[in-house]
Amino acid sequence: MVIASPAVRGSSPVRWLPLPVVLVAVFVTTLDFFIANVAIPAIRADLAAGPAATQLVFGGYGLAYAAGLIISGRLGDLYGPRRVFLIGLALFTLASLAAGTAPDILMLIAARVVQGSAAALLAPQVLTLIGALYPGAHRARAFGWYGTATGLAGVSGQVVGGLLMAADLGGLGWRAVFLINLPIGLAALVMARFVLPETPRRRDGRALDLPGAVLVAAGLVAIVLPLVQGPELGWPAWTWLLLGLAVPLLAAFVARQRALAQPLLDLRVFGERGFALGLVAVALLFGGSAGLSFVLAIYLQDGLGLGPLAAGMVFTALNAGFFVASLRRGRPVAGALAIAAGLAVLHQVLPTGSPYLVAGALGLAGAGMGMLMSPLISAVLAGVPRERSGAAAGVLGTVQETGGVLGGTLTGTVFLAAAGHGTPDWTSGARTALLVLVVFAVVVSVVVVRLKAVSSTAVEVK
C-alpha cells in the first residue's frame, strides 16, 4: 500500500508524512559516520585491534559511502527512488546487526563497509524524493529540514555514543552504538512502505554505465584509502601509488562522461549557478565537523580524563547551540563566522582544562552550524532542475562524505603528530588541530559570502 503523491494534495498536511521517514534515514546514516569515534577505545581493547585497523572502522564506512553515491543516484533514476531507498534501508539495518555482533575486527570492518554502501544507496534517493514530492516553496522548506537533520546528526555522534556506552544496555558495551540502528531501521522500513509514494522513473532508455561506475569508485578509493591508512602505516609505497593512480582514473571518468550521449553523471549539473561553489563550503563544513568530533573524542577522554558519558555531556553544548540556532534560519554568513569564532575561542580555553569553558566554545560553534547548514544545503540544491536532481544528489552526498573522511583524516593526522608519541600532549595536539579547523571555517565564510552574491536560486541565501 502506498499513498498518492503528496505533491498533488494541495495544502493537505498529508504531504509532509514522507518527510520524517526519509529524514530518520538521513539522521541515522549520518550519525553512524560519527558515532563510532566514541567507541574506538573500547573496540580497540575488546577486539585487540591495532591503530590502522580501528581507523578503518571509521574510514571504511565513509570510503564505501563516498565511492557508491554517484552510481546510487543513477540506480534511483533507473529503478525508482522509493524502491532503492527501501533496499538501502533494509541493507543498512542488516549490516548494523552484523557490526554489532562482529566477533573480530575484520568482520567489523567488513560490516562497516556494507553499512557505508547501504547508506550510499539511501542518500541520493532522499534528495530525489524531496525534490519530487515538494514543489515550489515547499521544496525549499523540505531541503531546510534535510539540512537540519544532517547537521544535527553530525554534531550528535559523541553525545549519543557516550550515552549508549555509559548505559551499557544488556552488557553490550560498544556494540550498542551499532545495534541501536535495528529498532530504528525496522520502524522506518514499516513506515516507509505505507507513506512513501511511487515517483516517476526516468525512462530514457539508458543502461547503467558500469565502466564509468568502476572508474569513479576506483578513483575515490585511490584518494581516500591512502589518506586514511597512510599516516598509521608510515606511508608505504602502495599509498603513494594509489594517490598517483587517482588522477588518471578520475580524468578517465570525466572524459567518458563527456563522450557519452547518456552519461552516468550529467556534468552539466556543475554549471548550475552556485552549485559547484556551494560544494566547496559543504566539503569544508563536513570535513571540519568530522575533524572536530575526532579530536575532541580523544582529547576529552584521554586528555581531560572524562568518561564517555561525561565527554558526551560536554558535547551537548554543540547540539544545543545547533538546535536553538537552526530554528532561526537564513543567516549563513553569520553562521560561518560564528563557527570560526567558536573554534578560535576553543583553541584559547583548552589550556585551562575546564570542561565548562570547552562547552561554552562548543555552544558558539554549534550555533554557527545551526545557522549555516540549512540555508547552505538549500542554496546548493534548490536551483538544480528536477531532471538533474539524481546527479546533484549523488554529487552532494559524495562531497559530504569525502569531505568528512578527508577532513577528519587531515585533522586527525595533525592532531596525533602534534601531540607526540610516548606520553602525548593532547592539549597541544588539539590546539594545533583546531588551527586547521579555524582555517576551514574562514574559507567557508568567504565562500558563503561569494555564494550569496552569485546565487539566484529560489531559496535566497540571506
Side-chain angles (χ1 to χ4, degrees):
M1 172 185 174
V2 292
I3 64 172
S5 171
V8 299
R9 288 182 173 265
S11 60
S12 171
V14 175
R15 111 171 81 227
W16 296 106
L17 287 179
L19 188 61
V21 175
V22 297
L23 292 186
V24 164
V26 167
F27 184 88
V28 172
T29 53
T30 304
L31 180 74
D32 230 63
F33 181 80
F34 295 94
I35 199 172
N37 277 336
V38 73
I40 287 297
I43 292 171
R44 188 167 55 226
D46 188 31
L47 301 183
T54 50
Q55 182 75 0
L56 278 177
V57 174
F58 171 78
Y61 180 90
L63 180 61
Y65 200 154
L69 278 165
I70 291 177
I71 188 175
S72 298
R74 179 63 185 134
L75 288 172
D77 288 340
L78 288 172
Y79 301 107
R82 180 181 184 272
R83 177 182 297 182
V84 178
F85 176 89
L86 292 172
I87 292 171
L89 185 56
L91 183 60
F92 181 84
T93 305
L94 289 173
S96 298
L97 175 62
T101 57
D104 53 53
I105 192 64
L106 292 179
M107 288 297 295
L108 177 57
I109 292 170
R112 288 286 285 169
V113 169
V114 176
Q115 271 190 310
S117 300
L121 285 176
L122 283 166
Q125 318 320 322
V126 171
L127 293 170
T128 301
L129 285 165
I130 290 175
L133 300 178
Y134 302 106
H138 297 302
R139 188 184 190 204
R141 183 180 176 190
F143 277 143
W145 281 112
Y146 169 86
T148 298
T150 303
L152 189 59
V155 299
S156 297
Q158 187 84 17
V159 179
V160 176
L163 289 171
L164 290 172
M165 293 281 290
D168 195 22
L169 302 171
L172 291 171
W174 61 265
R175 298 178 185 275
V177 304
F178 303 117
L179 294 177
I180 192 65
N181 294 333
L182 293 182
I184 298 173
L186 290 173
L189 270 172
V190 172
M191 290 297 296
R193 289 188 62 84
F194 284 94
V195 305
L196 277 189
E198 295 286 359
T199 55
R201 303 182 195 177
R202 291 181 59 186
R203 301 183 182 278
D204 52 16
R206 284 190 282 170
L208 184 65
D209 177 20
L210 287 177
V214 170
L215 284 171
V216 70
L220 289 172
V221 169
I223 293 174
V224 176
L225 183 60
L227 294 178
V228 170
Q229 291 286 278
E232 297 287 348
L233 300 179
W235 295 101
W238 67 264
T239 59
W240 296 107
L241 177 62
L242 279 183
L243 285 171
L245 284 174
V247 174
L249 284 170
L250 293 177
F253 170 73
V254 172
R256 179 175 176 81
Q257 301 312 293
R258 286 176 173 170
L260 291 176
Q262 304 289 350
L264 172 67
L265 174 61
D266 188 346
L267 296 176
R268 291 176 297 175
V269 71
F270 291 98
E272 302 298 338
R273 188 176 297 272
F275 183 76
L277 188 62
L279 292 180
V280 175
V282 168
L284 292 173
L285 183 61
F286 277 79
S289 180
L292 182 63
S293 176
F294 180 84
V295 169
L296 289 185
I298 296 177
Y299 170 76
L300 292 173
Q301 294 184 62
D302 293 342
L304 296 187
L306 303 179
L309 179 59
M313 291 300 99
V314 173
F315 249 87
T316 58
L318 192 72
N319 295 62
F322 182 95
F323 181 75
V324 171
S326 67
L327 300 177
R328 185 177 176 82
R329 298 188 181 122
R331 296 179 178 271
V333 176
L337 292 174
I339 294 171
L343 294 175
V345 172
L346 183 59
H347 175 273
Q348 293 301 111
V349 303
L350 283 186
T352 69
S354 168
Y356 302 102
L357 293 178
V358 170
L362 287 177
L364 178 57
M369 292 179 185
M371 287 188 283
L372 174 61
M373 188 71 71
S374 288
L376 177 61
I377 296 293
S378 295
V380 171
L381 291 174
V384 178
R386 180 173 172 177
E387 64 271 14
R388 297 176 191 162
S389 60
V395 171
L396 177 64
T398 301
V399 168
Q400 287 178 357
E401 295 307 314
T402 305
V405 172
L406 296 183
T409 300
L410 172 63
T411 308
T413 300
V414 172
F415 170 54
L416 296 174
H421 302 287
T423 304
D425 184 347
W426 296 121
T427 299
S428 177
R431 296 189 80 208
T432 304
L434 281 168
L435 293 177
V436 175
L437 299 182
V438 170
V439 172
F440 281 10
V442 170
V443 175
V444 169
S445 302
V446 174
V447 172
V448 170
V449 170
R450 179 61 181 161
L451 183 62
K452 179 182 177 182
V454 303
S455 178
S456 61
T457 60
V459 179
E460 183 177 305
V461 182
K462 298 180 182 179

